[in-house]
Amino acid sequence: MDLGIRGKRGLVCAASKGLGRGCAEALAAAGVDLVINSRTEADIVRTAEEIAARHGVAVTPVAADITTEAGRAAVLDALGQADILVTNAGGPPPGNWQDWSRDDFIRALDANMLSAVALMQALVPGMMERGWGRVVNITSQSVRAPIPVLGLSNSARAGLTGFVAGMSRQVARHGVNVNNLLPGIHATDRADGLDRGVSQAQGISMDEARAQRKATIPAGAYGTAEDFGATCAFLCSQHARFIVGQNILLDGGATNLTI
Ligand code: NAP
């Protein structure tokens, strides 16, 4: 299917690996020129070279922490304007609800709510002026069904979800579609870290921890960054014109919900 976005310009945050990279690969395959970002310079430069070589689009790497004002300024500087924005950042650490301090919450809010809000505030007005734009925020299945040990993530992402629910309906008439993608368990470094947490907490091997988590997924496997990226690219396509303010769960059926 032709996604109809060849020649558009996009920003994908936190994209040297994992889900962000999956989104960058799929957008590049659809012909989108990209600015991609993550903190580790060698990784983001290598990723940009690989994506550009594979898909024949322009890919500019920016090594910066997207959760800081200075990091976002560096990324926006390299970007100029954008037709497509994919927000993403690392997820907060697991823990216990009694232990989280105000500073822990502020860090989580900066990473998983306020940096996405700031990027939308910077880029969506230009999209509205030009009459076309797509925004995909990578959030989490924890928005639909909380994961108790990830209370910092549950809290910050719920805040972003509430913001998007309102603003997506204010900008849609200008041709800008804002939606959220909610990953369940995908085979990335983040999933390895969470598997390790289960393995340590229960005194079981990594393989046993993975098997235990896999058994919770009706589809019978972890998702992949490629699956995730393909859905993101569709949401950024011309075909997604009528999809506004939605929270799309990609979890292999793991969240037990009727709607
Ligand atoms: P990942 O495989 O660990 O990759 C994280 C990527 O983000 C890396 O490229 C990393 O590079 C970059 N990054 C992290 N913090 C950053 C920052 N402050 N500024 C810029 N770049 C940053 O993680 P993932 O699995 O793709 O997860 C992506 C998001 O989805 C996370 O918020 C995660 O919590 C959420 N999620 C994932 C799953 C899952 O199963 N994978 C499920 C639910 C939710 P550097 O370290 O070099 O910056």
Side-chain angles (χ1 to χ4, degrees), residues 62-233:
V62 181
D65 183 339
I66 203 68
T67 68
T68 66
E69 223 172 296
R72 286 190 295 277
V75 169
L76 291 170
D77 209 36
L79 179 68
Q81 65 183 41
D83 309 299
I84 291 169
L85 165 65
V86 179
T87 74
N88 185 27
N96 185 303
W97 65 272
Q98 286 180 303
D99 300 333
W100 293 315
S101 66
R102 185 171 195 283
D103 285 348
D104 293 327
F105 276 101
I106 297 296
R107 261 193 300 277
L109 288 168
D110 272 339
N112 300 115
M113 176 186 177
L114 298 176
S115 55
V117 170
L119 289 166
M120 286 187 274
Q121 287 173 332
L123 294 172
V124 169
M127 296 178 190
M128 291 166 72
E129 261 172 51
R130 294 186 297 279
W132 196 94
R134 298 286 186 265
V135 179
V136 173
N137 299 295
I138 299 180
T139 65
S140 171
Q141 78 184 123
S142 69
V143 167
R144 298 294 308 280
I147 301 170
V149 294
L150 293 178
L152 292 170
S153 168
N154 299 338
S155 308
R157 298 187 201 275
L160 176 60
T161 305
F163 174 83
V164 166
M167 73 78 80
S168 60
R169 287 159 170 100
Q170 292 175 302
V171 304
R173 69 183 62 255
H174 299 277
V176 182
N177 297 53
V178 185
N179 293 287
N180 302 321
L181 262 187
L182 285 54
I185 304 175
H186 284 70
T188 67
D189 287 4
R190 169 78 172 169
D192 283 348
L194 296 175
D195 291 341
R196 201 166 301 115
V198 171
S199 145
Q200 283 162 0
Q202 299 185 20
I204 56 178
S205 70
M206 279 289 277
D207 281 348
E208 286 166 326
R210 269 192 207 106
Q212 201 183 92
R213 293 219 298 152
K214 204 160 81 177
T216 66
I217 306 173
Y222 285 11
T224 67
E226 292 75 22
D227 303 330
F228 192 87
T231 309
C232 176

Side-chain angles (χ1 to χ4, degrees), residues 238-258:
Q238 300 293 355
H239 311 295
R241 189 182 62 83
F242 216 47
I243 305 178
V244 173
Q246 297 303 300
N247 290 282
I248 315 265
L249 192 53
L250 292 180
D251 71 344
T255 312
N256 197 30
L257 299 166
T258 302

